[in-house]
Amino acid sequence: MKQVTQLTPQEAARRVPDGARLMVGGFGMTGNPVHLLHALADAGTKNLTYISNNIGESGIGGGLLLERGQIKKAIGSFFTSNPEAVAAAQTGRIELELLPQGSFVEAIRAGGAGLGGFYTPTAVGTSLGQQAETKLIDGKVYAFVPALQAEVALIHAWKADTAGNLVYRMTEQNFNKSMATAADLVIAEVEQIVPLGALDPDQIHTPGCYVDYLVEVDTKPEDLGSSGSVAAREAGVGGARLRIAQRALLELQPGSVVNLGVGIPTLMAELIRPEHGVTVHSENGMLGVGPSPEEGGAMDYPVNAGKVPVTALPGSSYFDSADSFAMIRGGHVDVAVMGGLQVDELANLANWAAPGRRAIRERPSKPRLLTGIPRRASTRSRATQRRTRLRRPPPSRSSRAL
């Protein structure tokens, strides 16, 4: 059995060259290789193409690289968790390439599997899909998404053995599992390195053949940013927002698998109990989301799509982002509850952007939920539009997204 070389964060950072295409795991700061990123920031490595769901938070993880001007281009889905990333993109300090989150992780999975890309119905007919090659398959239009690969991947895992086999904790699989397959050089920071044979082969998520180097780190709650403590949960969980969530909950039927989008929809998990018979799906890799704990953080609990620590109801399961979006795209999720600015009588959903500025907020988060899910609910908190509208799409059209 091979033995994987162990490095310090500083030694690992020296293996990332200037101008590298760099994949970075994590959903927000959960499962994020923050120690490797901080070492890379200190090394001064520059002109990076940063391939990740988001660019950390202000001054943490990828946010530190951004702050120091080391990122040339970012490819990903949801950059608004770091306001500095939004400002950098809108002012042209970094180039930005947006992909719907499900297409993003599937492109990584395809790259790791040696495929050139794939066809998907996601984003067809939207501004995100305008430049894509399309093909009519069984009467339905699909857009081509090329595979994503990188020269280096930095990932985070909970445990590793000396052969490089990796085990992730709770919702920390997210993008790490796919990224481990899609780069020429894979460096995993892990919280524990155990002897060969100490890991149950049935529990291994990433086989050691994908991993080139291991870095043992001591992760602390402060390394997890806003997910480090439930005390940092989103403000404003009462009042009108909670009433909207309570109203939307009435539409859910026992036995339903329900995806809750970011914002008001995630509040519904605070109200759902086992007796409701509803299974909540979170896009970052969880079925069975429960209410937030009274204390603790992402060191002790999984996180939801809003990066807030939550509890796991009996019968819950964890998986990676590729499986999560396959559930959505494949029609295995019954209902999606999404937040938005406006929705019209035909259930066309509009999100927001500052007039005259490049649109970044939310656009890439919606198309993947509008494809493959038969029933949708929209929530929003504008005083004149506090209603929930549901519809079933006509047979000839899967969805429409703005």
Side-chain angles (χ1 to χ4, degrees), residues 11-110:
E11 290 170 334
R14 289 197 289 270
R15 284 162 170 77
V16 182
D18 288 344
R21 284 174 62 88
L22 179 70
M23 286 185 178
V24 178
F27 186 88
M29 297 306 299
T30 304
N32 186 261
V34 62
H35 301 86
L36 292 176
L37 292 172
H38 288 181
L40 191 61
D42 290 340
T45 310
K46 57 185 183 298
N47 294 325
L48 296 169
T49 295
Y50 192 89
I51 304 172
S52 186
N53 186 51
N54 47 277
I55 309 179
E57 296 181 4
S58 297
I60 307 176
L64 188 59
L65 291 169
L66 179 69
E67 189 178 276
R68 296 184 180 180
Q70 294 166 268
I71 297 175
K72 177 183 68 174
K73 178 180 180 178
I75 302 173
S77 296
F78 198 85
F79 298 117
T80 56
S81 55
N82 185 349
E84 294 175 7
V86 176
Q90 290 179 331
T91 58
R93 286 190 285 120
I94 63 170
E95 183 183 350
L96 203 65
E97 182 178 336
L98 295 174
L99 287 169
Q101 199 171 131
S103 298
F104 175 64
V105 71
E106 190 67 12
I108 296 168
R109 192 202 66 80

XYZ file of all heavy atoms in Angstrom, residues 11-110:
728
model
N 4.886 24.113 3.268
C 5.468 23.256 2.224
C 4.449 22.987 1.126
O 4.790 22.972 -0.070
C 5.947 21.936 2.827
C 7.169 22.069 3.718
C 7.477 20.795 4.485
O 6.544 19.992 4.726
O 8.655 20.592 4.851
N 3.204 22.772 1.517
C 2.157 22.530 0.530
C 1.938 23.751 -0.353
O 1.780 23.632 -1.576
C 0.860 22.145 1.237
N 1.950 24.938 0.254
C 1.715 26.166 -0.513
C 2.775 26.365 -1.586
O 2.477 26.895 -2.673
C 1.674 27.364 0.427
N 3.985 25.942 -1.325
C 5.069 26.109 -2.311
C 4.883 25.227 -3.541
O 5.566 25.421 -4.558
C 6.418 25.828 -1.655
C 6.840 26.907 -0.663
C 8.315 26.831 -0.348
N 8.658 25.677 0.472
C 8.674 25.664 1.803
N 8.329 26.765 2.477
N 9.020 24.586 2.469
N 3.981 24.286 -3.481
C 3.709 23.414 -4.623
C 2.623 23.959 -5.552
O 2.278 23.329 -6.545
C 3.348 22.011 -4.131
C 4.592 21.247 -3.673
C 4.258 20.052 -2.801
N 5.456 19.231 -2.585
C 6.445 19.517 -1.741
N 6.401 20.651 -1.046
N 7.491 18.700 -1.603
N 2.105 25.127 -5.215
C 1.117 25.792 -6.077
C 1.829 26.898 -6.844
O 2.273 27.885 -6.255
C -0.032 26.382 -5.246
C -1.073 27.026 -6.174
C -0.688 25.312 -4.379
N 1.959 26.785 -8.164
C 2.697 27.801 -8.925
C 1.859 29.038 -9.216
O 0.619 29.005 -9.181
C 3.034 27.064 -10.227
C 1.905 26.090 -10.402
C 1.519 25.657 -9.009
N 2.517 30.139 -9.505
C 1.829 31.332 -9.990
C 1.024 30.978 -11.236
O 1.477 30.210 -12.093
C 2.833 32.435 -10.343
C 3.474 33.070 -9.117
O 2.943 32.889 -8.011
O 4.518 33.734 -9.282
N -0.166 31.560 -11.347
C -0.989 31.346 -12.532
C -1.729 30.029 -12.566
O -2.342 29.692 -13.585
N -1.715 29.271 -11.474
C -2.339 27.951 -11.460
C -3.862 28.043 -11.528
O -4.472 28.997 -11.036
C -1.926 27.185 -10.207
N -4.466 27.040 -12.158
C -5.908 26.793 -12.016
C -6.070 25.985 -10.732
O -5.587 24.853 -10.638
C -6.463 26.019 -13.215
C -6.626 26.874 -14.461
C -7.045 26.034 -15.658
N -8.332 25.384 -15.482
C -9.513 25.928 -15.786
N -9.554 27.161 -16.267
N -10.643 25.245 -15.631
N -6.767 26.564 -9.776
C -6.803 26.024 -8.420
C -8.234 25.718 -8.010
O -9.071 26.619 -7.930
C -6.194 27.047 -7.451
C -6.165 26.684 -5.970
C -5.169 25.563 -5.705
C -5.824 27.925 -5.131
N -8.528 24.439 -7.737
C -9.814 24.065 -7.170
C -9.722 24.113 -5.651
O -8.731 23.672 -5.066
C -10.234 22.665 -7.617
C -10.699 22.583 -9.041
S -11.328 20.939 -9.467
C -11.839 21.240 -11.162
N -10.773 24.639 -5.030
C -10.806 24.790 -3.574
C -12.133 24.254 -3.058
O -13.201 24.747 -3.430
C -10.631 26.258 -3.157
C -10.728 26.398 -1.635
C -9.286 26.795 -3.651
N -12.076 23.235 -2.203
C -13.283 22.628 -1.672
C -13.960 23.487 -0.627
O -13.440 24.504 -0.173
N -15.151 23.054 -0.237
C -15.889 23.731 0.810
C -17.188 24.330 0.324
O -17.353 24.669 -0.854
N -18.128 24.436 1.252
C -19.395 25.134 1.030
C -19.430 26.236 2.071
O -19.612 25.985 3.258
C -20.570 24.174 1.199
C -21.904 24.776 0.859
C -22.388 24.729 -0.440
C -22.684 25.371 1.832
C -23.619 25.281 -0.765
C -23.922 25.925 1.528
C -24.394 25.875 0.226
N -19.230 27.490 1.648
C -18.905 28.522 2.615
C -17.568 28.154 3.245
O -16.620 27.767 2.567
N -17.499 28.228 4.556
C -16.270 27.860 5.252
C -16.314 26.436 5.782
O -15.357 25.967 6.397
C -16.018 28.839 6.404
C -15.792 30.274 5.950
S -14.488 30.445 4.710
C -13.071 29.837 5.623
N -17.401 25.711 5.533
C -17.517 24.333 5.988
C -16.831 23.403 4.994
O -17.163 23.394 3.818
C -18.996 23.937 6.134
O -19.645 24.845 7.001
C -19.124 22.534 6.689
N -15.851 22.642 5.476
C -15.071 21.797 4.577
C -14.098 22.574 3.731
O -13.612 22.081 2.716
N -13.792 23.788 4.142
C -12.881 24.644 3.393
C -11.450 24.457 3.901
O -11.223 24.451 5.108
C -13.312 26.101 3.559
C -12.524 27.058 2.698
O -11.602 27.699 3.169
N -12.894 27.173 1.441
N -10.464 24.308 3.012
C -9.071 24.114 3.431
C -8.412 25.421 3.853
O -7.449 25.901 3.238
C -8.418 23.519 2.177
C -9.182 24.126 1.050
C -10.609 24.224 1.542
N -8.930 26.017 4.912
C -8.556 27.371 5.300
C -7.074 27.487 5.646
O -6.420 28.496 5.326
C -9.449 27.861 6.470
C -9.283 26.997 7.697
C -9.196 29.315 6.790
N -6.491 26.458 6.257
C -5.074 26.534 6.635
C -4.182 26.559 5.398
O -3.196 27.301 5.345
C -4.711 25.352 7.529
C -5.528 25.288 8.790
N -6.756 24.670 8.827
C -5.289 25.770 10.039
C -7.239 24.771 10.055
N -6.384 25.435 10.800
N -4.520 25.758 4.398
C -3.751 25.763 3.150
C -3.903 27.102 2.432
O -2.927 27.629 1.867
C -4.211 24.625 2.241
C -3.895 23.208 2.717
C -4.500 22.178 1.775
C -2.382 22.996 2.828
N -5.104 27.662 2.454
C -5.329 28.935 1.773
C -4.576 30.068 2.454
O -4.021 30.951 1.790
C -6.823 29.237 1.721
C -7.638 28.300 0.817
C -9.122 28.559 0.995
C -7.237 28.434 -0.641
N -4.526 30.054 3.768
C -3.790 31.100 4.474
C -2.288 30.972 4.230
O -1.585 31.986 4.102
C -4.108 31.054 5.962
C -5.494 31.525 6.280
N -5.999 31.584 7.555
C -6.498 31.970 5.465
C -7.239 32.044 7.518
N -7.562 32.272 6.261
N -1.797 29.720 4.151
C -0.386 29.532 3.817
C -0.100 30.003 2.400
O 0.958 30.588 2.118
C -0.010 28.058 3.977
N -1.044 29.782 1.490
C -0.886 30.229 0.110
C -0.892 31.746 0.039
O -0.124 32.349 -0.737
C -2.016 29.641 -0.737
C -1.907 29.768 -2.255
C -0.663 29.068 -2.780
C -3.161 29.190 -2.923
N -1.752 32.367 0.842
C -1.768 33.839 0.892
C -0.429 34.374 1.377
O 0.127 35.330 0.820
C -2.901 34.318 1.791
N 0.146 33.757 2.403
C 1.436 34.188 2.933
C 2.573 33.947 1.945
O 3.567 34.680 1.935
C 1.741 33.460 4.246
C 0.838 33.910 5.381
O 0.264 35.002 5.282
O 0.704 33.147 6.368
N 2.418 32.927 1.092
C 3.451 32.624 0.097
C 3.472 33.640 -1.038
O 4.452 33.717 -1.795
C 3.239 31.219 -0.468
N 2.393 34.401 -1.190
C 2.353 35.430 -2.228
C 2.055 34.912 -3.618
O 2.210 35.649 -4.600
N 1.623 33.678 -3.747
C 1.286 33.099 -5.052
C 0.204 33.940 -5.718
O -0.794 34.290 -5.093
C 0.803 31.648 -4.877
O 1.735 30.936 -4.058
C 0.676 30.960 -6.212
N 0.397 34.248 -7.003
C -0.487 35.232 -7.644
C -1.043 34.731 -8.967
O -0.693 33.664 -9.449
C 0.264 36.543 -7.873
C 1.529 36.430 -8.697
C 2.268 37.769 -8.758
C 3.506 37.709 -9.648
N 4.504 36.748 -9.166
N -1.959 35.537 -9.531
C -2.603 35.269 -10.824
C -3.326 33.929 -10.846
O -3.299 33.201 -11.838
C -1.573 35.335 -11.965
C -1.019 36.723 -12.158
O -1.729 37.713 -11.992
N 0.269 36.813 -12.476
N -3.981 33.615 -9.749
C -4.669 32.329 -9.629
C -6.038 32.370 -10.305
O -6.755 33.377 -10.236
C -4.856 31.965 -8.155
C -3.575 31.733 -7.347
C -3.896 31.661 -5.861
C -2.872 30.463 -7.816
N -6.396 31.264 -10.951
C -7.782 31.037 -11.364
C -8.407 30.181 -10.281
O -8.046 29.019 -10.102
C -7.858 30.331 -12.730
O -7.311 31.199 -13.727
C -9.298 30.017 -13.084
N -9.317 30.759 -9.550
C -9.847 30.193 -8.311
C -11.177 29.512 -8.625
O -12.179 30.175 -8.906
C -10.020 31.312 -7.301
C -10.279 30.903 -5.878
C -9.230 30.687 -4.986
C -11.579 30.761 -5.400
C -9.467 30.348 -3.666
C -11.821 30.416 -4.084
C -10.756 30.209 -3.224
O -11.003 29.870 -1.910
N -11.203 28.184 -8.583
C -12.389 27.410 -8.937
C -13.004 26.879 -7.649
O -12.483 25.959 -7.020
C -12.029 26.252 -9.887
C -11.315 26.786 -11.130
C -13.286 25.478 -10.277
C -10.741 25.702 -12.031
N -14.113 27.486 -7.246
C -14.730 27.134 -5.971
C -16.153 27.647 -5.953
O -16.500 28.577 -6.680
C -13.933 27.754 -4.811
O -14.420 27.317 -3.553
N -16.982 27.051 -5.107
C -18.362 27.508 -5.011
C -18.433 28.964 -4.594
O -19.293 29.710 -5.041
C -19.135 26.639 -4.018
C -20.608 26.987 -3.986
O -21.254 27.049 -5.021
N -21.142 27.215 -2.800
N -17.538 29.382 -3.717
C -17.513 30.771 -3.262
C -16.085 31.142 -2.861
O -15.204 30.280 -2.800
C -18.476 30.988 -2.087
C -18.326 29.926 -1.026
O -18.893 28.843 -1.147
N -17.552 30.212 0.003
N -15.852 32.420 -2.598
C -14.505 32.899 -2.253
C -14.463 33.222 -0.762
O -14.300 34.369 -0.335
C -14.104 34.119 -3.104
C -14.313 33.838 -4.591
C -12.630 34.465 -2.870
C -13.965 34.997 -5.509
N -14.651 32.204 0.057
C -14.529 32.347 1.494
C -15.396 33.457 2.056
O -16.491 33.757 1.562
N -14.918 34.074 3.119
C -15.541 35.236 3.723
C -14.476 36.322 3.845
O -13.299 36.067 3.592
C -16.147 34.874 5.086
C -17.285 33.866 4.973
C -17.906 33.510 6.314
O -17.509 34.102 7.341
O -18.783 32.632 6.342
N -14.869 37.490 4.232
C -13.930 38.616 4.297
C -12.739 38.279 5.189
O -12.889 38.039 6.385
C -14.644 39.868 4.825
O -15.665 40.267 3.937
N -11.549 38.248 4.582
C -10.319 38.022 5.332
C -10.084 36.598 5.771
O -9.104 36.312 6.480
N -10.938 35.641 5.364
C -10.799 34.242 5.769
C -10.791 33.363 4.522
O -11.577 33.563 3.599
C -11.942 33.786 6.689
C -12.104 34.717 7.883
C -11.718 32.363 7.178
C -13.285 34.370 8.774
N -9.932 32.347 4.516
C -9.880 31.416 3.396
C -9.557 32.129 2.100
O -8.637 32.950 2.010
N -10.351 31.851 1.061
C -10.142 32.529 -0.209
C -10.300 34.026 -0.109
O -9.743 34.768 -0.926
N -11.046 34.491 0.891
C -11.190 35.924 1.094
C -9.877 36.615 1.376
O -9.683 37.784 1.017
N -8.941 35.907 2.018
C -7.623 36.487 2.275
C -6.821 36.591 0.979
O -6.120 37.592 0.751
C -6.875 35.638 3.310
C -5.555 36.211 3.830
C -5.767 37.561 4.492
C -4.902 35.228 4.804
N -6.910 35.576 0.119
C -6.251 35.649 -1.193
C -6.812 36.813 -2.006
O -6.064 37.542 -2.672
C -6.456 34.339 -1.951
C -5.745 33.097 -1.432
C -6.267 31.854 -2.140
C -4.238 33.210 -1.613
N -8.133 36.990 -1.969
C -8.760 38.080 -2.698
C -8.292 39.430 -2.158
O -7.946 40.339 -2.919
C -10.274 37.955 -2.572
C -11.103 39.041 -3.253
C -11.002 38.929 -4.764
C -12.559 38.963 -2.805
N -8.267 39.534 -0.845
C -7.859 40.777 -0.195
C -6.445 41.183 -0.593
O -6.140 42.380 -0.726
C -7.950 40.572 1.314
C -7.775 41.782 2.167
C -7.940 41.426 3.636
O -9.105 41.384 4.093
O -6.926 41.169 4.316
N -5.586 40.204 -0.818
C -4.190 40.481 -1.151
C -3.932 40.515 -2.660
O -2.781 40.555 -3.106
C -3.287 39.444 -0.479
C -3.365 39.534 1.041
C -2.408 38.588 1.725
N -2.503 38.685 3.177
C -1.782 37.969 4.030
N -0.878 37.103 3.577
N -1.939 38.107 5.328
N -4.982 40.465 -3.450
C -4.846 40.615 -4.895
C -4.227 39.426 -5.602
O -3.631 39.586 -6.676
N -4.400 38.221 -5.061
C -3.754 37.041 -5.635
C -4.652 36.258 -6.594
O -4.197 35.329 -7.247
C -3.270 36.127 -4.502
C -2.158 36.751 -3.661
C -1.910 36.007 -2.355
O -2.491 36.340 -1.330
N -1.059 34.996 -2.401
N -5.943 36.621 -6.673
C -6.882 35.937 -7.553
C -7.107 36.771 -8.807
O -7.482 37.947 -8.730
C -8.219 35.680 -6.833
C -8.005 34.741 -5.640
C -9.250 35.106 -7.800
C -9.250 34.526 -4.802
N -6.863 36.163 -9.969
C -7.085 36.827 -11.252
C -8.502 36.572 -11.762
O -9.156 37.463 -12.304
C -6.062 36.331 -12.276
C -6.234 36.904 -13.678
C -5.217 36.304 -14.644
C -5.491 34.828 -14.897
N -4.603 34.251 -15.937
N -8.971 35.339 -11.598
C -10.270 34.939 -12.111
C -10.898 33.955 -11.140
O -10.201 33.144 -10.529
C -10.119 34.285 -13.498
C -11.432 33.783 -14.102
C -11.205 33.146 -15.470
C -12.514 32.636 -16.062
N -12.314 32.045 -17.415
N -12.228 34.028 -10.998
C -12.959 33.087 -10.153
C -14.032 32.394 -10.989
O -14.745 33.039 -11.763
C -13.594 33.793 -8.968
N -14.126 31.078 -10.835
C -15.146 30.275 -11.499
C -15.949 29.592 -10.400
O -15.385 28.886 -9.558
C -14.524 29.213 -12.428
C -13.645 29.864 -13.492
C -15.617 28.370 -13.087
C -12.861 28.866 -14.339
N -17.251 29.819 -10.374
C -18.055 29.220 -9.318
C -19.498 29.651 -9.403
O -19.972 30.078 -10.457
N -20.190 29.570 -8.268
C -21.636 29.748 -8.264
C -22.157 30.829 -7.352
O -23.061 31.570 -7.706
C -22.321 28.426 -7.858
O -22.072 27.419 -8.792
N -21.632 30.910 -6.135
C -22.298 31.729 -5.125
C -21.249 32.549 -4.391
O -20.707 32.134 -3.371
C -23.055 30.825 -4.149
C -24.094 31.554 -3.355
C -25.369 31.749 -3.872
C -23.817 32.048 -2.100
C -26.329 32.426 -3.147
C -24.775 32.722 -1.369
C -26.038 32.906 -1.886
N -20.973 33.744 -4.908
C -19.902 34.563 -4.364
C -20.394 35.614 -3.371
O -19.599 36.354 -2.810
C -19.149 35.248 -5.504
C -18.484 34.276 -6.435
C -18.854 34.190 -7.767
C -17.494 33.424 -5.970
C -18.243 33.289 -8.610
C -16.877 32.527 -6.813
C -17.246 32.445 -8.136
N -21.695 35.680 -3.142
C -22.229 36.775 -2.338
C -22.030 36.588 -0.844
O -22.351 37.485 -0.069
C -23.721 36.978 -2.631
O -24.420 35.747 -2.397
C -23.923 37.412 -4.064
N -21.527 35.430 -0.404
C -21.208 35.270 1.018
C -20.014 36.135 1.404
O -19.742 36.324 2.589
C -20.928 33.803 1.347
O -19.916 33.287 0.511
N -19.299 36.634 0.404
C -18.181 37.545 0.650
C -18.435 38.842 -0.116
O -18.222 38.904 -1.328
C -16.865 36.908 0.196
C -15.654 37.751 0.533
O -15.774 38.911 0.923
N -14.479 37.189 0.368
N -18.888 39.890 0.558
C -19.180 41.150 -0.145
C -17.981 41.696 -0.907
O -18.146 42.383 -1.921
C -19.587 42.095 0.992
C -20.024 41.203 2.106
C -19.177 39.979 2.002
N -16.764 41.414 -0.442
C -15.570 41.891 -1.136
C -15.422 41.216 -2.500
O -14.894 41.824 -3.431
C -14.334 41.650 -0.271
C -14.327 42.483 1.002
C -13.166 42.155 1.919
O -12.286 41.370 1.508
O -13.137 42.679 3.052
N -15.887 39.979 -2.611
C -15.847 39.296 -3.906
C -16.823 39.943 -4.879
O -16.515 40.111 -6.071
C -16.168 37.816 -3.732
N -17.996 40.311 -4.393
C -18.975 40.996 -5.237
C -18.402 42.325 -5.731
O -18.468 42.639 -6.923
C -20.284 41.224 -4.458
C -21.269 42.025 -5.300
C -20.902 39.898 -4.047
N -17.815 43.085 -4.819
C -17.242 44.380 -5.198
C -16.103 44.215 -6.192
O -15.986 44.982 -7.159
C -16.747 45.113 -3.950
N -15.266 43.199 -5.992
C -14.138 42.971 -6.900
C -14.616 42.626 -8.298
O -14.046 43.078 -9.299
C -13.244 41.859 -6.351
N -15.679 41.825 -8.386
C -16.216 41.454 -9.697
C -16.889 42.636 -10.371
O -16.720 42.874 -11.575
C -17.190 40.296 -9.543
N -17.643 43.419 -9.615
C -18.386 44.538 -10.208
C -17.472 45.673 -10.653
O -17.818 46.424 -11.556
C -19.424 45.035 -9.209
C -20.566 44.052 -9.008
C -21.589 44.524 -7.997
O -21.256 45.267 -7.076
N -22.829 44.090 -8.152
N -16.312 45.781 -10.027
C -15.369 46.834 -10.420
C -14.301 46.330 -11.383
O -13.420 47.103 -11.776
C -14.685 47.415 -9.163
O -14.019 46.368 -8.443
C -15.699 48.082 -8.254
N -14.358 45.045 -11.751
C -13.418 44.506 -12.719
C -12.063 44.124 -12.168
O -11.139 43.852 -12.925
N -11.921 44.071 -10.846
C -10.621 43.676 -10.274
C -10.358 42.189 -10.454
O -9.214 41.755 -10.465
C -10.558 44.062 -8.791
C -10.371 45.553 -8.570
C -10.078 45.872 -7.121
N -11.274 45.767 -6.296
C -11.415 44.944 -5.273
N -10.432 44.128 -4.943
N -12.536 44.922 -4.570
N -11.417 41.397 -10.563
C -11.263 39.989 -10.924
C -12.270 39.662 -12.021
O -13.335 40.283 -12.119
C -11.475 39.034 -9.726
C -12.907 39.135 -9.173
C -10.435 39.266 -8.640
C -13.232 38.050 -8.160
N -11.905 38.698 -12.841
C -12.830 38.177 -13.849
C -13.689 37.122 -13.182
O -13.218 36.367 -12.332
C -12.032 37.578 -15.007
C -12.887 37.058 -16.145
C -12.049 36.404 -17.234
O -10.814 36.528 -17.190
O -12.653 35.739 -18.108
N -14.946 37.060 -13.567
C -15.877 36.133 -12.935
C -16.564 35.288 -13.989
O -17.023 35.790 -15.009
C -16.932 36.920 -12.145
C -17.650 36.195 -11.017
C -16.675 35.835 -9.915
C -18.762 37.078 -10.466
N -16.631 33.984 -13.749
C -17.385 33.061 -14.595
C -18.371 32.320 -13.709
O -17.978 31.590 -12.800
C -16.449 32.074 -15.293
C -17.166 31.113 -16.224
C -16.214 30.173 -16.945
O -15.033 30.514 -17.104
O -16.663 29.070 -17.345
N -19.662 32.548 -13.967
C -20.712 31.966 -13.141
C -21.304 30.729 -13.791
O -21.573 30.709 -14.988
C -21.824 32.988 -12.907
C -21.469 34.231 -12.100
C -22.638 35.204 -12.101
C -21.092 33.865 -10.679
N -21.523 29.708 -12.978
C -22.194 28.487 -13.406
C -23.266 28.148 -12.382
O -23.050 28.321 -11.182
C -21.209 27.316 -13.487
C -20.204 27.294 -14.629
C -19.155 26.223 -14.388
C -20.924 27.042 -15.946
N -24.425 27.644 -12.816
C -25.371 27.107 -11.834
C -24.663 26.054 -10.974
O -23.834 25.288 -11.471
C -26.466 26.482 -12.702
C -26.382 27.215 -13.999
C -24.922 27.503 -14.197
N -25.001 26.011 -9.708
C -24.230 25.204 -8.776
C -24.201 23.708 -9.140
O -23.170 23.056 -9.033
C -24.793 25.392 -7.363
C -23.842 25.003 -6.273
C -24.343 25.411 -4.903
O -24.337 24.599 -3.985
N -24.795 26.636 -4.754
N -25.346 23.182 -9.580
C -25.373 21.781 -9.990
C -24.531 21.516 -11.218
O -23.848 20.492 -11.323
N -24.556 22.445 -12.179
C -23.727 22.298 -13.375
C -22.257 22.440 -13.027
O -21.399 21.756 -13.600
C -24.120 23.350 -14.422
O -25.458 23.176 -14.839
N -21.965 23.308 -12.072
C -20.587 23.503 -11.622
C -19.995 22.208 -11.074
O -18.928 21.762 -11.500
C -20.572 24.607 -10.569
C -19.238 24.845 -9.913
C -18.151 25.294 -10.643
C -19.068 24.629 -8.549
C -16.923 25.526 -10.035
C -17.860 24.864 -7.926
C -16.776 25.311 -8.682
N -20.686 21.568 -10.151
C -20.130 20.349 -9.555
C -20.137 19.193 -10.551
O -19.239 18.354 -10.547
C -20.871 19.987 -8.249
C -22.291 19.485 -8.506
C -20.070 18.950 -7.466
N -21.126 19.156 -11.440
C -21.142 18.083 -12.435
C -20.008 18.250 -13.444
O -19.431 17.266 -13.920
C -22.491 18.050 -13.151
C -22.715 16.829 -14.028
C -22.831 15.530 -13.242
O -22.974 15.562 -12.009
O -22.787 14.455 -13.887
N -19.651 19.504 -13.753
C -18.513 19.757 -14.639
C -17.216 19.273 -13.990
O -16.325 18.736 -14.661
C -18.424 21.240 -14.973
N -17.103 19.457 -12.675
C -15.930 18.951 -11.952
C -15.923 17.433 -11.946
O -14.894 16.791 -12.187
C -15.920 19.509 -10.514
C -15.759 21.027 -10.532
C -14.809 18.864 -9.683
C -16.028 21.685 -9.200
N -17.091 16.843 -11.677
C -17.173 15.380 -11.679
C -16.807 14.808 -13.050
O -16.087 13.811 -13.160
C -18.582 14.934 -11.280
C -18.690 13.436 -10.975
C -20.116 12.941 -11.115
N -20.574 13.026 -12.492
C -20.266 12.146 -13.431
N -19.472 11.116 -13.180
N -20.733 12.301 -14.660
N -17.291 15.472 -14.115
C -16.967 15.021 -15.469
C -15.474 15.130 -15.731
O -14.863 14.231 -16.321
C -17.752 15.850 -16.491
